[in-house]
Amino acid sequence: MGIALSIENPKPEVEAGLNDLVALVADGMARVNTTILSRTGSEVTMIPEVANHLIASGGKRLRPILTLACAKLCGYAGDTDGDVKLAASVEFMHTATLLHDDVVDESDMRRGRVAARIKWGNEASVLVGDFLLGQAFRMMVEVGSLRALDILSAAATVIAEGEVMQLTNAKNLETDEAAYLAVIRGKTAELFAAACEVGPVLAGRPEAEQAAARSYGMSLGIAFQLIDDVLDYGGTSAELGKNVGDDFREGKITLPIVLAYRRGSEGERGFWRRTLQQGEIRDGDLETALDLLQRHGALEETVARAHHYGAEARAALDVFPDGPVKAALNGAIEFCVARAR
Amino acid sequence: MGIALSIENPKPEVEAGLNDLVALVADGMARVNTTILSRTGSEVTMIPEVANHLIASGGKRLRPILTLACAKLCGYAGDTDGDVKLAASVEFMHTATLLHDDVVDESDMRRGRVAARIKWGNEASVLVGDFLLGQAFRMMVEVGSLRALDILSAAATVIAEGEVMQLTNAKNLETDEAAYLAVIRGKTAELFAAACEVGPVLAGRPEAEQAAARSYGMSLGIAFQLIDDVLDYGGTSAELGKNVGDDFREGKITLPIVLAYRRGSEGERGFWRRTLQQGEIRDGDLETALDLLQRHGALEETVARAHHYGAEARAALDVFPDGPVKAALNGAIEFCVARAR
């Protein structure tokens, strides 16, 4: 879904929002990284090659950071490494999704590198994704929490459902805001929610705190994806960067498009139908699309929606006592939302 | 891997070997089938469409039958439906593998029907496979046995490793018998082994019985795949049926090829290199391949190997008391091995 692309080179002031959280879980993340490296190991050498091509290429590891932080927020002692293993599982589930997405999207690039499917073929992307999913479940089993297993296995099915929904909606301009939200809840926000929810579960906290952590993750994930979809059109500053227009070329119906289409004249709708529905894209069409998105305030409004979900995420944390972890989790909201500036 | 193709229309006397086992677990399998149908359900209608296209098209459901039978062999009471849910999980893992294999193999046909990837695209095959894997793990979590979860999640990684190994060996005539065996242990026999092992685990039987059931499944799975690879060249009767030569056209290095290549003259090796390694296949090449396989007794010797593993499977059952379930499990060995006649 191109989620990771846009956080490669964030502006320094935006990155600052995440710094506190990164610092708070630095020890745990060092162990997560060691775990990731050891669990991609296999005598079948193509497996670590393909897995590490993607894993080593970076990304902020936002999801495992959230698992560690939510466990810490709930006072998880951490002497059994349960948080580290679940955090690594979450990252493996994410990596497996990216590998499979590349096959689905027929992507050539991922995180600024040639996609694994181009270098090793679709086969390797599918199978190494399957291997990582299996390893994710093995680690969850080692942790031994059936409740955490339940949450993460349910997330695996919901993610797949969201991706299939996106496939069904592709090139379909009748997609409305509700259908778009259902897709991003599944494909993106569900894993954020599960990554957060397993924190209080590990710490043995009451259901209200599990639900609150889940709700924080869900709203944060929605905000994150909304901004990602804005960034795919270069953000609201209208500076044309790298990778702008991928969604446009793939006919993905994201919220900016839903809004601009609904507000457009009959002539504009014809433009969207030709480009997104029929996939007939000519020179200058991306510039026209950007112009229409600007004219109808579609990018600004999508950012406003992200701010709304950011506020929901902040409110979800109310049940937790104030402190450095809660403050840093709020900083992560700023990071996710402010990327579009 | 084309595993299921060859058991579509077995000869009546061969099928008889499986009849007793099918009859013994008929009640459980009826519940497995209901579970499979309900767990492929999703509001995202493309998911049940794709899943049922493959699931409803048959196959003998040998793997879930083995789970039910091994639980029964160990006296599992079954009032909690744990055996039914694990059996359905095993079938979902198998179905997910078939869907992903079709993308890997670029297959056009599966179980005598158009492959899902042709009808709905590679994307749908990848994502619906992921959905079924997720559902498989959810059902395992419901059963609540961490040991069963451990066995089946480990199997998921080993299957993927076997498939990647096969990818690495493809078109490589230096593949020897040990490398071939490592591939089929992973891609086929591991799921047979896990399907059997969870039976005594559910019934709370001692480790010796878990290991025996695993060993039975492993040897049976190896025998099954050896015969499958013989059937891909039409069996030892040399009657040319449907789907003969798929492995040949894909450059798969199966045991018959390993044996014929090793025993071949320099000229014959040139033939195998041109067809399998360089993929340059001309009219009449399949007939030449069949002739070489016959001349070197490669198909008969592969069948003999299958008989050896069949005997190992039979021996593994020694620790269990005689009775109708054990007799029927022995019948399943006959079924797997006799298909090549």
Side-chain angles (χ1 to χ4, degrees):
Chain A
M1 313 287 97
I3 295 166
L5 281 169
S6 47
I7 54 175
E8 277 304 274
N9 295 304
K11 301 185 181 86
E13 70 274 25
V14 174
E15 181 130 8
L18 203 60
N19 282 345
D20 288 347
L21 200 63
V22 169
L24 274 170
V25 298
D27 288 354
M29 279 306 291
R31 298 214 300 287
V32 168
N33 290 334
T34 310
T35 305
I36 285 174
L37 269 180
S38 76
R39 298 300 175 113
T40 49
S42 168
E43 285 173 21
V44 186
T45 52
M46 194 197 263
I47 290 177
E49 271 173 40
V50 175
N52 292 330
H53 172 78
L54 182 55
I55 291 171
S57 67
K60 283 278 166 287
R61 305 220 165 145
L62 190 51
R63 294 157 192 81
I65 286 175
L66 289 172
T67 298
L68 294 182
C70 288
K72 202 181 186 78
L73 177 71
C74 293
Y76 176 70
D79 45 297
T80 60
D81 255 11
D83 55 346
V84 169
K85 283 183 179 168
L86 289 188
S89 296
V90 164
E91 184 67 6
F92 274 10
M93 285 176 68
H94 176 55
T95 309
T97 308
L98 295 183
L99 283 167
H100 287 182
D101 276 355
D102 286 342
V103 177
V104 171
D105 293 344
E106 303 185 346
S107 317
D108 296 343
M109 298 293 286
R110 167 69 70 187
R111 288 181 179 165
R113 305 180 88 175
V114 170
R117 71 172 206 97
I118 298 295
K119 206 161 166 187
W120 289 277
N122 276 341
E123 310 89 315
S125 288
V126 172
L127 297 174
V128 175
D130 291 348
F131 175 82
L132 293 178
L133 263 183
Q135 288 291 62
F137 280 99
R138 289 184 74 177
M139 281 190 279
M140 292 175 216
V141 172
E142 287 174 25
V143 175
S145 159
L146 281 169
R147 180 84 188 98
L149 269 158
D150 187 27
I151 291 163
L152 289 166
S153 58
T157 67
V158 174
I159 293 166
E161 278 181 312
E163 304 260 9
V164 176
M165 239 186 287
Q166 174 168 268
L167 209 58
T168 313
N169 293 347
K171 304 183 196 302
N172 176 10
L173 282 162
E174 299 311 310
T175 305
D176 61 11
E177 192 167 343
Y180 164 81
L181 270 174
V183 167
I184 71 171
R185 274 176 187 275
K187 73 167 190 169
T188 306
E190 177 69 26
L191 189 56
F192 276 74
C196 291
E197 189 178 4
V198 295
V201 166
L202 267 181
R205 301 297 303 161
E207 268 193 33
E209 291 186 18
Q210 298 176 25
R214 176 177 177 77
S215 172
Y216 166 82
M218 181 64 78
S219 296
L220 182 69
I222 294 172
F224 183 89
Q225 187 61 53
L226 283 164
I227 297 298
D228 228 51
D229 292 343
V230 169
L231 286 170
D232 206 89
Y233 289 99
T236 52
S237 61
E239 290 166 29
L240 271 181
K242 286 185 304 185
N243 301 115
V244 164
D246 280 352
D247 289 350
F248 182 68
R249 282 181 288 271
E250 290 170 20
K252 269 191 196 155
I253 311 299
T254 58
L255 187 58
I257 300 296
V258 171
L259 295 172
Y261 182 76
R262 196 171 65 199
R263 295 166 184 181
S265 65
E266 198 36 56
E268 289 172 19
R269 292 186 177 201
F271 167 81
W272 293 119
R273 277 193 293 269
R274 168 173 65 77
T275 52
L276 296 174
Q277 207 147 298
Q278 292 149 34
E280 193 192 317
I281 296 182
R282 306 173 192 151
D283 280 356
D285 276 348
L286 179 58
E287 288 71 15
T288 303
L290 289 166
D291 183 53
L292 293 177
L293 291 170
Q294 292 286 353
R295 195 182 312 166
H296 293 291
L299 297 172
E300 276 79 4
E301 185 148 339
T302 303
V303 172
R305 293 280 206 294
H307 278 282
H308 162 76
Y309 284 101
E312 300 257 299
R314 182 181 297 272
L317 294 179
D318 278 350
V319 302
F320 299 104
D322 288 339
V325 184
K326 181 166 159 177
L329 285 168
N330 277 319
I333 302 173
E334 295 313 309
F335 164 75
C336 286
V337 175
R339 293 179 304 144
R341 276 199 300 263
Chain B
M1 312 287 94
I3 296 166
L5 280 169
S6 48
I7 52 174
E8 277 304 275
N9 295 303
K11 302 184 182 86
E13 72 273 21
V14 173
E15 181 131 7
L18 204 59
N19 281 345
D20 289 347
L21 200 62
V22 169
L24 273 169
V25 299
D27 287 355
M29 279 306 292
R31 299 214 301 284
V32 168
N33 290 334
T34 310
T35 305
I36 285 175
L37 269 179
S38 75
R39 299 300 175 114
T40 49
S42 167
E43 285 173 21
V44 186
T45 51
M46 194 197 263
I47 290 177
E49 270 173 40
V50 175
N52 292 330
H53 172 79
L54 182 54
I55 291 171
S57 67
K60 283 278 166 289
R61 306 219 164 144
L62 191 49
R63 294 157 191 81
I65 287 175
L66 288 172
T67 298
L68 294 182
C70 288
K72 201 181 187 77
L73 177 70
C74 293
Y76 176 70
D79 47 295
T80 60
D81 255 10
D83 56 345
V84 169
K85 282 182 179 167
L86 289 188
S89 296
V90 163
E91 185 66 6
F92 273 11
M93 286 177 67
H94 176 54
T95 309
T97 308
L98 295 183
L99 283 166
H100 287 183
D101 276 355
D102 285 342
V103 177
V104 170
D105 293 345
E106 304 185 346
S107 317
D108 296 342
M109 298 293 286
R110 166 71 67 188
R111 289 183 178 161
R113 305 179 88 174
V114 171
R117 72 172 206 98
I118 298 297
K119 206 161 167 188
W120 289 277
N122 276 341
E123 311 90 317
S125 288
V126 171
L127 297 174
V128 175
D130 290 349
F131 174 82
L132 293 178
L133 263 183
Q135 288 291 61
F137 279 100
R138 288 184 75 177
M139 281 190 279
M140 292 175 217
V141 173
E142 287 174 24
V143 175
S145 160
L146 281 169
R147 180 84 188 98
L149 269 158
D150 187 27
I151 291 163
L152 288 166
S153 59
T157 67
V158 172
I159 293 166
E161 279 183 311
E163 304 260 9
V164 175
M165 239 187 286
Q166 175 168 267
L167 209 58
T168 314
N169 292 347
K171 304 183 197 299
N172 177 10
L173 281 161
E174 300 310 311
T175 305
D176 60 12
E177 191 168 340
Y180 163 82
L181 270 174
V183 167
I184 69 170
R185 273 177 188 276
K187 73 166 187 165
T188 306
E190 178 69 26
L191 189 57
F192 276 72
C196 291
E197 189 178 4
V198 295
V201 165
L202 267 182
R205 301 298 303 162
E207 268 193 31
E209 290 185 19
Q210 298 177 24
R214 175 175 177 79
S215 172
Y216 165 81
M218 181 63 78
S219 296
L220 183 69
I222 294 172
F224 183 89
Q225 187 62 53
L226 283 164
I227 297 298
D228 228 51
D229 292 343
V230 168
L231 286 169
D232 207 89
Y233 289 99
T236 52
S237 62
E239 289 167 31
L240 272 181
K242 287 186 302 186
N243 301 114
V244 164
D246 279 352
D247 289 351
F248 182 68
R249 283 181 287 269
E250 289 170 19
K252 270 191 196 156
I253 312 299
T254 58
L255 187 58
I257 301 296
V258 171
L259 296 172
Y261 182 76
R262 196 171 66 198
R263 294 166 184 180
S265 65
E266 198 36 57
E268 290 172 18
R269 292 186 177 201
F271 167 81
W272 293 119
R273 277 192 294 269
R274 169 174 62 78
T275 51
L276 296 173
Q277 209 148 298
Q278 292 148 35
E280 192 191 318
I281 295 182
R282 305 171 192 152
D283 280 355
D285 277 348
L286 178 59
E287 288 72 14
T288 302
L290 288 167
D291 182 54
L292 293 176
L293 291 170
Q294 292 286 352
R295 195 184 310 167
H296 292 293
L299 297 172
E300 277 80 3
E301 187 149 336
T302 303
V303 172
R305 295 280 206 293
H307 278 281
H308 162 76
Y309 285 101
E312 300 256 300
R314 182 181 298 271
L317 294 179
D318 277 351
V319 302
F320 298 104
D322 288 339
V325 184
K326 181 165 160 178
L329 286 168
N330 276 320
I333 303 173
E334 295 313 308
F335 165 75
C336 286
V337 175
R339 293 180 304 144
R341 275 199 301 263

